[in-house]
Amino acid sequence: MKKRLLGIVALLSLCYGCSGAGYLPYAPHALDPAQIEALVSQASQTNGVPEGLVHAVLMAESAGDPSAISTAGAQGLMQLMPGTASGCGIGNAFDPQQNVQCGASYLHELLSRYHNDATLAVAAYNAGPGAVDKYHGVPPYSETQAYVVRVISAYRSY
């Protein structure tokens, strides 16, 4: 019972401060958990990124809602900015498979850039690599700092 309660708390903490309007995990617009797992598994294998990291970012970004749009214009499950989506060569950022593949590819690039430091890669996913480079670490933005804690915590408990 205690472990189940901790799992629920972890899921709810993923939702707090999501990129968007605070979606609940697996809300009515969200994909089925099995569909999300299949997309994450395929993308992580293709891009050489830990499955738990892709899953944690996806849930923090969209809570599994493929139609999510942030106030900054990020789109889909992995909340891709239009420039990132076009850099991946995808035609539809709302297509779940294309979106997760592109997000995992971007995570792979960030992990390579930051020598497999997941904390810095996640910070760059949220705030941009320029901000991480400028501050030589996680930028002093409260949103980014909270995001990094949420994602890394979910990644470690995956």
Side-chain angles (χ1 to χ4, degrees):
M1 178 70 173
K2 189 174 184 179
K3 188 172 184 176
R4 181 178 166 89
L5 181 59
L6 288 174
I8 291 168
V9 169
L11 282 174
L12 290 175
S13 71
L14 281 172
C15 179
Y16 180 76
C18 294
S19 303
Y23 302 99
L24 290 175
Y26 308 116
H29 298 285
L31 292 177
D32 179 86
Q35 290 175 294
I36 291 172
E37 289 304 319
L39 291 168
V40 166
S41 178
Q42 181 183 24
S44 66
Q45 287 176 10
T46 301
N47 293 285
V49 177
E51 196 169 316
L53 185 58
V54 175
H55 188 268
V57 168
L58 183 151
M59 293 306 290
E61 290 290 344
S62 70
D65 182 355
S67 63
I69 303 174
S70 76
T71 55
Q75 304 170 330
L77 289 168
M78 298 290 286
Q79 288 291 277
L80 304 175
M81 292 302 288
T84 304
S86 108
C88 285
I90 64 174
N92 179 4
F94 294 104
D95 175 271
Q97 183 175 14
Q98 291 181 35
N99 187 286
V100 178
Q101 283 291 337
C102 180
S105 174
Y106 186 48
L107 276 171
H108 176 79
E109 289 175 28
L110 294 172
L111 286 166
S112 293
R113 179 178 185 145
Y114 297 109
H115 310 287
N116 288 316
D117 185 326
T119 298
L120 293 181
V122 167
Y125 195 96
N126 179 263
V132 171
D133 294 347
K134 176 181 177 181
Y135 291 103
H136 306 287
V138 178
Y141 312 145
S142 58
E143 176 190 336
T144 300
Q145 291 175 347
Y147 176 86
V148 168
V149 168
R150 253 189 346 271
V151 172
I152 295 301
S153 177
Y155 171 42
R156 288 183 180 147
S157 66
Y158 184 77

